[in-house]
Amino acid sequence: MNGGLLVAGTTSDAGKSVVTAGICRWLVRQGVKVAPFKAQNMSLNSFVTREGAEIGRAQAMQAQACRVEPTAHMNPVLLKPGGERSSQVVLLGRPVGEMSARGYHGGRQERLLGTVLDSLAELRASHDAVICEGAGSPAEINLRRTDIVNMGIARGAGLPVLVVGDIDRGGVFASFFGTVALLAPEDQALVAGFLVNKFRGDVSLLEPGLEMLHGLTGRRTYGVLPFRHGLGIDEEDGLRVSLRGTVRESAVAPPVGEDVLRIAVCAVPLMSNFTDVDALAAEPGVVVRFVDRPEELADADLVIVPGTRGTVRALQWLRERGLADAIARRAAEQRPVLGICGGFQLLGEHIEDDVESRAGHVDGLGLLPVRVRFAREKTLTRPAGEALGERVEGYEIHHGVAEVVAGDPFLDGCRVGQTWGTHWHGSLESDGFRRAFLREVAAAAGRRFVPAPDTSFAALREEQLDRLGDLIEHHADTDALWRLIESGAPQGLPFIPPGAPA
């Protein structure tokens, strides 16, 4: 078997990432050696592979679904937004520069098609199947000429395409029909059919619509996936909506101790790797919410300043909103504060930035004895060590180089009183360390909170990936899906006018 499939979507956030992961987990259960692939990813949530390459978190999660080690070939192009109109371009795991959207789509993107096809060919040569994820919608007709992630890669590699639609948003039939009808004939020939995502209710009520859709397009529906809570693991986009008030889903189990622990995460601009708090939210009795007003810190037992692609911009935002003063008061009162990566940098004494913001010398919040200088070379590592008497692993993604001049050591950063800072992402996924850290926070906050002794974040992640595999296995036509992956799109699929404009 040397098969492949592109999972496209009618919109962004239609469920492409989780459907791709679900198909990967279902296939690996069948004994198939499978790999994920996304030619181009726009995300502030990224991960570092063992060889020191930066890729999207979603592809790292999908690699875990495949039970394989993630590599740069699984996400050869990563775009990390630095504002409304520019992004850092990461090629095969290494940053190659900043580029405006106009400059990227004006020629650079098109020239990368050969690179992404080479990465896909590399994966296909070493795996039985490669499940590819598209981006946005394949019917973005203004971008089709330079597309390398949807129909561009499908046509370049001869991949069949499955279009996912989020029925919970409404308008899914129009979205399916319109997506196909806005594609060129050569692209339409690769669109094999549809997959309905997030359906609530009785599927029999949907079936007449699916039959009519088949009559209108000549394309079948490969499954109807029911709505399930808590499946949005390792989201890609840190820019999509304001996260104020959003609460991460906590474990259903009640707290072990008498109290819950409340954690407030400052929703800074260009927030990156906010998945760092997922391990906290998985703890019974821990409530995690994103906030953007100082009064929302009042009842928090721990405040986290997360990573950001714009450290100086985030610092200014904290000051403008009064959050900087509120955090400083907490630190003076010995109430716990944790800064991660960019959040760690802005807690320091000052920042020299001629790379990211080009703001030069900027005073930090002065809560940690740290001086930060931004280097042009990005640090991409997978460190391991010990803190609070426990083994810890993490990963680092940053241009800022921190000089720690005092304080107690903490994960290559430092600690002063109850203010902590580190460049390490993912450290809270180490179970023993997370429990020890939460015990420190609870003691400082005066809470009778007790971490559950048996919460395993890795096991919870595996359970979640198995749930995705179950969705495909139980609610998709897996025989038809297998034929699609193995043999490609059916022959003779009808053209739906008008097609792409000339």
Side-chain angles (χ1 to χ4, degrees), residues 43 65 92 306 405:
S43 179
L92 291 172
V405 296

Side-chain angles (χ1 to χ4, degrees), residues 5-10 138-139 150-151 154-155 158-164 175-195 213 217-222 484 488-496:
L5 174 70
L6 176 70
V7 178
T10 56
N150 289 307
M151 301 315 299
R155 204 193 294 190
L159 295 171
V161 178
L162 184 68
V163 180
V164 177
S175 298
F176 281 147
F177 183 88
T179 296
V180 179
L182 281 177
L183 299 178
E186 298 85 353
D187 290 342
Q188 286 195 23
L190 294 172
V191 178
F194 314 108
L195 186 75
L213 182 67
T217 66
R219 290 159 175 85
R220 59 168 300 167
T221 297
Y222 283 76
L484 188 62
Q491 297 296 307
L493 292 169
F495 171 71
I496 309 301

Side-chain angles (χ1 to χ4, degrees), residues 6-19:
L6 176 70
V7 178
T10 56
T11 62
S12 294
D13 205 30
K16 297 183 292 290
S17 294
V18 294
V19 167

Side-chain angles (χ1 to χ4, degrees), residues 103-121:
Y104 184 68
H105 290 289
R108 177 63 184 269
Q109 182 183 34
E110 197 172 11
R111 293 195 294 273
L112 291 175
L113 181 59
T115 300
V116 301
L117 285 172
D118 287 346
S119 286
L120 177 57

